[in-house]
């Protein structure tokens, strides 16, 4: 009833959205000044900007762009070198050689730099594929992989920066206590060693230093940027002093006292021999032993975790992307030069340390470079400058990542305050929040304790960068054409796998926990479904793979065993057809489901195609109904011609509709589903975008306004019976199965929790597998169309909401006649159901009186379908099938003479009058198979 009325009410008027689009099109044609890309990386006319800024108001201070003033050297090389040297260079080089030996130390260094080199190739490729805005690595990952991966990896990278800041602060405290801390053996102040030592004192000193970093970041973050070059000079002088010291300093002996558990003290003696071949030979092999700071025996993984912390600064330059004059040039060039420089320095220091210091000295003194230096203040100042610089760099970098996450609004209200900035653009709320988290990490008390966690977080972030580049390469998107070409999908894949393997080598517990946290963040963001204009790499990958598999899906290889229902449901106004859409969604069972719509009009008379602007509304409707359907719209002079177009061109390759579903043609008037479902009338459900999302530009009021009101009593029909029957004939000529749906507005909507599970357990799926309008219809229960009805009922019975329903098959027989052949036919039919694995109850219906009415008194006269016969059939259906939830009836073929179209529809209307949800089916294709 309602579905066909909705189908045939096709409005020829343009809605206001189309009018606005046409006006905008004329403006563009007249002016030609509009940017061609309104949401991408940049505008063709030069208005570069982050897509995040497009979503904020013009007066939002959080979206103000920082001036781009830094070049390659100051913007990339200096921060990268300082971050990679940091505290590890001065305080843990001897630790690595002492425990791992020179050979394994060089192996660790080679593995670490191999991993970061592969990641650097990916960073260079992504950064040279377009304009890079503020946000650094987070920006590149999020804009490459989309909001879900971008947000989750961005938060993980933020946590890595937080933990790294804690490592640098703890390392600085360690260096300070090494000079100014009281000797544990003496237990009192002596000279400059005035600072008491202990866990809580270390936390106190760390908190004071962290507070200093906070003040600098809040009041004068620019001071750090201006002083970074001076810091690099100081660190370089310190390194040079270490390299020349063996030439000027003779052999020395040292004594060390360490406090172990239960306040036990132990004293070790170490020797600095100067360049000595015996010392080098003794330091070649590993010698893992007890670490005096953590009282734990070291291993390859724990030492590598500490050493790899020195390699976690490769993105320091990329994180300055918002301040770089030319990020696409500066990031690759500066990062590669900085990594080569630091690698050379580390190799020289490894060789120098293993050739001049014995193992006891290296294991028992983190500050060995200070003791053997030609002038110890060189190293002391270098340590302090490097560690303080790295700590502030991590604090600033982490706060900028948090600020970027807040601007993108991926996590909603919890991070919203972090978007607040000062008048100068400093994100002070993000800085304070980051400082508070770093303060929590310093309670670890020792650098080596959290070094493994820092390494795992960074490795996960590096793996994400490699994944982003790999996905872009695999997607084969035409717009992915970076100017940096020294990479391939092999390097991306190898880099990602190397990062993941090393994560578990270093610490399986931390690695597993970080991956679980990442998956939880992914699920959270996927559930929130934040919309963005960044582009979704998942869509590019899906397109790439679907195209491949569609080419492999050969329709010539179709077999009846694997037949699927693939439906084209014609809908003009979903306001009256939502229940039918939901029902067909259940009926398809893994098959293709396409919603078709015909817009009446002539493209020659229109300035633009009105159909293209409607797709977003229909897709939003599909999202709100929760159905798995595609949408295909067309513009045509008539509904029949438009339906022919859709039947021919809908689908692709082997995925094309094989069944056409239409609403029923009757005289009743449809009901407005939008007025019944709260999700459509009061805004309680906002679809996948959530209450605050824009559903890709379609909100609830726009959705309501787009679809016109349903046809009422004064509205004429735009479709005549001849055209409707012609559509059925066209579909049959094209080899498509046809279904006519009536009374499906009576099915309770799924969204209200009124599925079949909550109905009476006696509800059934009723099948009448023969032609009720033919005198020979009951002669065979197993023709192609009858078997198609059985298959449809079986498929529906497999759907989640219909599994508790019972399938009933009604066989009409002439029981009063002397011929008992129907008993044999019934037995054969039961045997067929067993071979087809269809579980159903067979009901025998005697319809002798109905057949007598059809044949009349003259047995030689042709059967006459009278009104009394039709009413009798209708009463028979009501008598036996009134309790059914849905009925499947045999649809007779349409008449060849179009003048009989109205009579044909009147007969269908009469036999289905008042039945409830009914599907009239005309099946043409074999769909069942008894073979294995």
């Amino acid at each position: 009833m309602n579905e066909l009325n909705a189908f045939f009410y096709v409005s020829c008027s343009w809605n206001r959205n189309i009018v606005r689009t046409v006006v905008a099109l004329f403006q563009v044609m007249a002016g030609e000044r509009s940017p061609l890309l309104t949401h991408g990386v940049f505008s063709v006319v030069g208005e570069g900007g982050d897509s995040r800024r497009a979503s904020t108001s013009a007066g939002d201070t959080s979206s103000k762009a920082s001036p781009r003033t830094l070049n390659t050297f100051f913007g990339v090389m200096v921060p990268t070198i300082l971050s990679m040297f940091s505290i590890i260079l001065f305080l843990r080089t001897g630790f690595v050689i002492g425990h791992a030996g020179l050979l394994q130390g060089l192996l660790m260094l080679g593995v670490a730099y191999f991993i970061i080199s592969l990641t650097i190739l990916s960073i260079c490729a992504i950064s040279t594929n377009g304009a890079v805005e503020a946000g650094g690595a987070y920006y590149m990952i999020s804009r490459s992989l989309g909001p879900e991966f971008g947000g989750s990896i961005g938060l993980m990278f933020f946590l890595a920066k937080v933990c790294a800041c804690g490592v640098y602060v703890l390392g600085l405290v360690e260096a300070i206590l090494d000079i100014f801390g009281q000797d544990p053996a003496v237990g009192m102040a002596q000279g400059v060693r005035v600072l008491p030592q202990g866990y809580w004192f270390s936390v106190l000193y760390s908190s004071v230093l962290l507070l200093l970093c906070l003040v600098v970041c809040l009041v004068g973050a620019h001071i750090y940027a201006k002083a970074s070059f001076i810091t690099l000079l100081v660190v370089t002088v310190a390194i040079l002093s270490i390299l020349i010291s063996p030439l000027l300093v003779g052999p020395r002996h040292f004594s060390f006292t360490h406090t172990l558990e239960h306040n036990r003290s132990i004293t070790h003696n170490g020797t600095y021999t100067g360049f000595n071949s015996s010392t080098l030979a003794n330091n070649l092999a590993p010698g893992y032993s007890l670490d005096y700071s953590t009282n734990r025996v070291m291993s390859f993984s724990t030492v590598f975790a500490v050493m790899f912390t020195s390699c976690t600064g490769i993105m320091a330059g990329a994180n300055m992307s918002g301040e770089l004059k030319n990020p696409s040039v500066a990031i690759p060039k500066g990062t590669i030069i900085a990594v080569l420089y630091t690698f050379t320095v580390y190799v020289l220091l490894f060789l120098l340390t293993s050739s001049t210091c014995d193992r006891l000295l290296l294991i028992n003194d983190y500050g060995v470079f200070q003791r053997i230096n030609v002038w110890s203040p060189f190293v002391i100042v270098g340590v302090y400058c490097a560690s303080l610089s790295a700590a502030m760099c991590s604090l600033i970098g982490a706060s900028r990542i948090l600020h970027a996450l807040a601007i993108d609004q991926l996590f909603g209200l919890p991070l919203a305050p972090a978007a607040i900035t000062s008048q100068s653009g400093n994100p002070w709320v993000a800085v304070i929040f980051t400082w508070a988290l770093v303060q929590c990490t310093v309670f670890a008390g020792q650098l080596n304790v959290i070094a493994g966690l820092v390494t795992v977080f960074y490795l996960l972030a590096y793996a994400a960068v490699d994944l982003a580049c790999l996905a872009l390469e695999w997607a084969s998107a035409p717009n992915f054409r970076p100017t940096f070409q020294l990479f391939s999908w092999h390097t991306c894949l190898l880099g990602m796998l190397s990062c993941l393997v090393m994560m578990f080598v270093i610490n399986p517990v931390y690695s597993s926990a970080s991956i679980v946290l990442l998956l939880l963040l992914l699920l959270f963001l996927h559930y929130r479904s934040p919309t963005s204009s960044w582009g979704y790499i998942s869509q590019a990958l899906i397109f790439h793979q679907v195209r491949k598999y569609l080419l492999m899906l050969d329709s010539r290889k179709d077999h009846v065993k694997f037949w699927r229902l693939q439906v084209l449901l014609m809908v003009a106004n979903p306001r009256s057809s939502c229940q039918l859409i939901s029902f067909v969604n259940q009926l398809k069972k893994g098959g293709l489901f396409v919603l078709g719509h015909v817009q009446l009009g002539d493209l020659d008379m229109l300035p633009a195609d009105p159909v293209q602007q409607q797709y977003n509304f229909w897709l939003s409707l599909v999202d709100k109904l929760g159905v798995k359907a595609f949408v295909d719209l067309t513009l045509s002079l008539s509904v029949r011609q438009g339906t022919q177009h859709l039947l021919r061109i809908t689908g692709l390759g082997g995925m094309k509709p094989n069944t056409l579903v239409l609403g029923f043609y009757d005289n009743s008037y449809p009901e407005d589903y939008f007025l019944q479902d709260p999700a459509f009338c009061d805004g309680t459900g906002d679809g996948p975008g959530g209450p605050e999302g824009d559903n890709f530009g379609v909100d609830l009021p726009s959705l309501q306004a787009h679809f016109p009101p349903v046809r009422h009593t004064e509205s004429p029909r735009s479709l005549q019976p001849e055209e409707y029957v012609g559509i059925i004939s066209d579909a049959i000529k094209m080899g498509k199965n046809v279904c006519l749906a009536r009374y499906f507005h009576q099915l309770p909507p799924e969204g209200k929790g009124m599925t079949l599970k909550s109905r009476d357990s006696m509800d059934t799926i009723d099948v009448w597998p023969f032609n009720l309008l033919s005198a020979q219809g009951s002669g065979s229960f197993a023709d192609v169309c009858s078997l198609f009805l059985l298959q449809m009922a079986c498929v529906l019975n497999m759907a989640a909401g219909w599994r508790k329903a019972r399938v009933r098959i009604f066989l009409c027989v002439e029981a009063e006649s002397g011929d008992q052949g129907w008993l044999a036919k019934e037995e054969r039919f039961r045997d067929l159901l067993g071979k087809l694995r269809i579980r159903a109850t067979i009901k025998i219906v005697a319809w002798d009186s109905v057949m007598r009415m059809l044949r009349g008194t003259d047995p030689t006269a042709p059967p006459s379908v009278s009104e009394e016969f039709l009413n009798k059939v209708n009463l028979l259906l009501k008598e036996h099938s009134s309790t059914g939830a849905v009925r499947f009836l045999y649809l007779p073929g349409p008449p060849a003479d179009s003048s009989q179209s109205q009579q044909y529809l009147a007969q269908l209307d009469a036999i289905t009058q008042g039945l409830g949800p009914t599907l009239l089916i005309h099946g043409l294709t074999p769909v069942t198979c008894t073979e294995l």
Side-chain angles (χ1 to χ4, degrees):
M1 177 182 73
N2 299 323
E3 292 77 12
L4 181 65
N5 291 327
F7 169 55
F8 296 116
Y9 181 72
V10 182
S11 174
C12 296
S13 63
W14 298 344
N15 58 43
R16 57 188 181 188
N17 297 301
I18 298 176
V19 173
R20 284 199 297 264
T21 302
V22 174
V23 172
L25 179 63
F26 279 126
Q27 291 175 346
V28 173
M29 294 170 63
E32 291 289 283
R33 292 190 179 94
S34 299
L36 298 184
L37 297 177
T38 60
H39 64 272
V41 177
F42 61 91
S43 169
V44 171
V45 295
E47 295 178 2
D50 188 350
S51 60
R52 294 171 291 179
R53 296 173 191 146
S55 63
T56 58
S57 63
D60 188 3
T61 59
S62 66
S63 62
K64 290 181 179 178
S66 302
R68 294 178 175 270
T69 59
L70 298 179
N71 57 19
T72 301
F73 181 76
F74 288 100
V76 180
M77 288 181 60
V78 171
T80 302
I81 291 173
L82 288 177
S83 297
M84 296 189 71
F85 280 161
S86 67
I87 199 72
I88 304 300
L89 176 74
F90 297 102
L91 295 185
R92 288 298 184 271
T93 300
F95 165 84
V96 173
I97 297 299
H99 286 285
L102 177 61
L103 297 180
Q104 286 198 10
L106 291 175
L107 176 63
M108 292 179 184
L109 190 68
V111 170
Y113 271 80
F114 176 73
I115 292 174
I116 65 172
S117 297
L118 294 174
T119 304
I120 288 171
L121 297 181
S122 300
I123 294 174
C124 295
I126 296 176
S127 64
T128 59
N129 190 52
V132 181
E133 299 296 333
Y138 160 69
Y139 181 90
M140 290 188 289
I141 296 172
S142 61
R143 270 50 178 184
S144 299
L145 296 183
E148 289 94 343
F149 269 100
S152 54
I153 293 295
L155 192 58
M156 298 293 290
F157 194 53
F158 164 74
L159 295 176
K161 283 284 185 183
V162 167
C163 294
C165 185
V167 166
Y168 300 140
V169 171
L170 290 173
L172 180 56
V173 169
E174 186 179 294
I176 293 174
L177 291 178
D178 191 55
I179 303 298
F180 301 101
Q182 295 178 1
D183 191 342
V186 178
M188 58 184 297
Q190 287 183 334
V192 296
R193 303 179 70 88
V194 295
L195 296 178
Q197 299 195 49
Y199 169 76
W200 289 109
F201 284 107
S202 296
V203 172
L204 175 62
Y205 305 146
S206 301
S207 301
V208 173
L209 291 172
L210 191 57
L211 188 61
L212 174 64
C213 295
L214 173 65
V215 172
V216 172
C217 292
L218 288 177
V219 178
H222 59 283
I223 297 176
Y224 164 75
K226 292 180 179 179
S228 59
F229 178 63
I230 298 176
T231 304
L232 179 60
L233 290 179
V234 172
V235 172
T236 303
V237 170
I239 294 173
L240 289 175
S241 70
I242 295 173
L243 293 175
I244 65 174
S245 288
L247 303 176
L248 304 175
V249 178
R252 297 180 181 181
H253 299 277
F254 303 99
S255 179
F256 311 98
T257 301
H258 301 303
T259 302
L260 304 179
E261 295 178 350
H262 309 296
N263 293 323
R264 293 186 301 108
S265 297
I266 185 171
T267 301
H268 296 281
N269 296 316
T271 303
Y272 166 71
T273 64
F275 287 112
N276 188 293
S277 59
S278 299
T279 303
L280 177 61
N282 292 333
N283 287 331
L284 289 177
Y288 298 107
S289 59
L290 190 71
D291 175 35
Y292 69 85
S293 65
T294 59
N295 290 322
R296 296 177 182 175
V297 177
M298 294 291 99
S299 63
F300 181 92
S301 60
T302 54
V303 174
F304 180 80
V306 174
M307 194 222 65
F308 192 83
T309 310
S310 65
C311 303
T312 55
I314 61 172
M315 291 186 181
N319 290 335
M320 304 294 289
S321 57
E323 289 76 33
L324 296 174
K325 291 180 182 178
N326 192 348
S328 297
V329 174
I331 291 176
K333 183 178 178 181
T335 304
I336 292 175
I337 294 175
V339 168
L340 291 175
Y341 172 70
T342 57
F343 178 75
T344 303
V345 171
Y346 272 112
V347 171
L348 291 176
L349 290 181
F350 275 26
L351 293 173
L352 182 146
T353 305
S354 59
S355 302
T356 59
C357 303
D358 70 0
R359 193 177 298 274
L360 287 177
L361 175 61
L362 297 176
I363 290 177
N364 292 285
D365 186 14
Y366 293 152
V368 64
F369 285 154
Q370 171 204 335
R371 298 185 184 276
I372 67 174
N373 198 268
V374 63
W375 190 49
S376 59
F378 278 136
V379 178
I380 295 173
V381 175
V383 169
Y384 294 170
C385 289
S387 56
L388 193 60
S389 172
M392 284 192 290
C393 181
S394 296
L395 184 61
I396 293 172
S399 63
R400 269 46 178 184
I401 294 173
L402 184 65
H403 178 63
L405 284 167
I407 291 178
D408 288 338
Q409 301 178 357
L410 298 182
F411 292 93
L413 290 178
L415 296 186
I420 300 174
T421 61
S422 63
Q423 292 184 350
S424 62
N426 186 22
W428 61 273
V429 176
V431 172
I432 293 177
F433 189 77
T434 305
W435 164 80
L437 289 180
V438 177
Q439 181 63 54
C440 296
T441 64
V442 302
F443 283 101
Q446 292 291 341
L447 182 153
N448 292 3
V449 173
I450 58 174
L453 184 62
V454 174
T455 303
V456 165
F457 278 160
Y458 270 107
L459 282 170
L460 190 59
Y462 294 166
V465 174
D466 290 317
L467 175 63
C469 191
L470 177 67
L472 289 170
E473 180 71 8
W474 274 354
S476 299
N479 282 323
F480 182 63
R481 43 182 184 270
T483 57
F484 182 86
Q485 294 292 323
L486 300 178
F487 80 102
S488 68
W489 70 266
H490 304 86
T491 62
C492 300
L493 182 60
L494 184 59
M496 183 182 68
L497 295 178
S498 300
C499 291
L500 295 176
V501 169
M502 290 312 303
M503 282 173 56
F504 285 91
V505 170
I506 291 169
N507 195 309
V509 176
Y510 286 166
S511 301
S512 302
S514 63
I515 292 176
V516 169
L517 177 60
L518 176 65
L519 293 176
L520 291 176
L521 292 173
L522 277 171
L523 290 174
F524 172 76
L525 289 175
H526 181 73
Y527 177 76
R528 286 196 77 242
S529 297
T531 56
S532 72
S533 59
W534 310 342
Y536 295 80
I537 189 63
S538 58
Q539 296 300 303
L541 290 171
I542 290 171
F543 176 89
H544 188 64
Q545 293 303 115
V546 167
R547 181 189 63 84
K548 281 185 178 180
Y549 285 115
L550 278 175
L551 290 172
M552 296 170 60
L553 187 61
D554 192 343
S555 59
R556 296 170 297 180
K557 299 179 182 179
D558 287 344
H559 193 278
V560 67
K561 289 191 296 184
F562 307 110
W563 177 88
R564 291 180 185 272
L565 183 66
Q566 303 192 85
V567 181
L568 172 63
L569 171 61
M570 296 302 299
V571 179
N573 191 347
R575 283 179 175 269
S576 58
S577 306
C578 288
Q579 291 99 323
L580 178 59
I581 294 173
S582 298
F583 174 78
V584 176
N585 182 63
Q586 291 184 318
L587 184 64
K588 74 179 189 310
K589 194 188 183 298
L592 179 68
F593 181 20
V594 181
L595 296 180
H597 171 71
V598 178
Q599 176 78 29
L600 293 181
D602 186 356
L603 192 59
D604 290 338
M605 307 299 294
L606 301 174
D609 184 6
V611 167
Q612 299 303 318
Q613 308 302 324
Q614 299 185 27
Y615 274 98
N616 261 8
F617 294 97
W618 283 85
L619 293 175
S620 296
L621 174 76
V622 167
D623 292 338
K624 189 170 285 293
L625 290 174
V627 297
K628 297 178 181 179
F630 298 94
V631 174
D632 210 348
L633 312 178
T634 189
L635 181 72
S636 180
L637 296 175
S638 68
V639 177
R640 180 178 181 181
Q641 188 180 56
T643 305
Q644 288 179 5
H645 295 165
L646 294 177
L647 283 172
R648 292 184 188 279
I649 66 175
T650 295
L652 197 62
M655 295 192 68
K656 298 183 73 69
N658 55 29
T659 303
L660 175 68
V661 179
L662 303 173
F664 198 78
Y665 194 97
D666 58 15
N667 294 318
S668 59
Y669 294 93
E671 299 177 8
D672 194 338
Y673 178 85
F674 283 11
L675 300 180
Q676 303 173 15
D677 192 338
F680 286 93
C681 61
D682 61 11
T684 57
D686 289 297
E692 299 178 358
D694 62 358
N695 290 327
F696 297 94
V698 180
D699 54 13
L700 187 60
S702 301
L703 190 67
Q704 289 274 25
H706 175 75
F707 296 109
V710 298
R711 185 174 63 88
H712 51 81
T713 54
E714 298 178 0
S715 301
R717 273 193 225 175
S718 59
L719 195 68
Q720 299 303 314
E722 293 78 13
E723 188 174 5
Y724 176 77
V725 176
I727 293 174
I728 300 175
S729 300
D730 295 340
I732 294 175
K733 290 177 183 177
M734 294 180 185
K736 310 294 184 182
N737 310 296
V738 178
C739 301
L740 308 182
R742 189 176 192 186
Y743 293 124
F744 277 89
H745 68 280
Q746 297 179 5
L747 281 179
E750 294 182 48
K752 297 181 181 179
M754 299 176 64
T755 58
L756 191 68
K757 295 180 181 179
S758 60
R759 300 177 190 145
D760 192 289
S761 60
M762 293 303 292
D763 276 353
T764 57
I765 301 171
D766 294 346
V767 184
W768 296 77
F770 59 92
N771 189 350
L772 294 170
L773 300 183
S774 171
Q776 290 79 30
S778 60
S780 173
F781 302 132
D783 62 5
V784 171
C785 187
S786 299
L787 293 178
F788 192 90
L789 264 70
L790 296 176
Q791 182 79 340
M792 295 282 276
C794 184
V795 169
L796 180 62
N797 198 210
M798 295 178 182
W802 295 85
R803 286 175 183 165
K804 292 186 178 180
R806 294 181 297 110
V807 177
R808 296 191 301 182
I809 301 175
F810 293 90
L811 302 182
C812 294
V813 300
E814 295 181 66
E816 296 178 3
S817 65
D819 183 14
Q820 298 296 315
W822 63 269
L823 293 173
K825 291 181 180 179
E826 178 193 356
E827 189 61 32
R828 288 197 300 271
F829 188 76
R830 290 183 185 275
D831 183 59
L832 177 62
L833 291 181
K835 292 179 180 179
L836 295 176
R837 291 88 60 203
I838 296 178
R839 290 178 294 179
T841 302
I842 297 178
K843 300 287 185 180
I844 302 299
V845 177
W847 74 330
D848 300 79
S849 59
V850 178
M851 291 304 297
R852 283 196 296 269
M853 193 174 298
L854 177 64
R855 291 170 181 152
T857 56
D858 184 4
T860 61
S864 175
V865 179
S866 62
E867 183 176 351
E868 291 79 10
F869 168 75
L870 295 173
N871 291 334
K872 189 69 173 179
V873 172
N874 179 254
L875 290 175
L876 183 72
L877 292 172
K878 288 180 179 179
E879 178 184 355
H880 295 278
S881 195
S882 60
T883 61
V886 65
R887 294 145 205 83
F888 290 164
L889 303 185
Y890 193 113
L891 174 66
D897 187 356
S898 60
S899 62
Q900 299 179 5
S901 298
Q902 190 139 6
Q903 179 185 0
Y904 174 72
L905 293 178
Q907 293 175 355
L908 299 180
D909 177 75
I911 64 173
T912 58
Q913 186 68 40
L915 282 183
T918 302
L919 204 64
L920 291 153
I921 301 173
H922 188 89
L924 296 176
T925 56
V927 294
T928 57
C929 180
T930 59
E931 299 175 1
L932 182 61

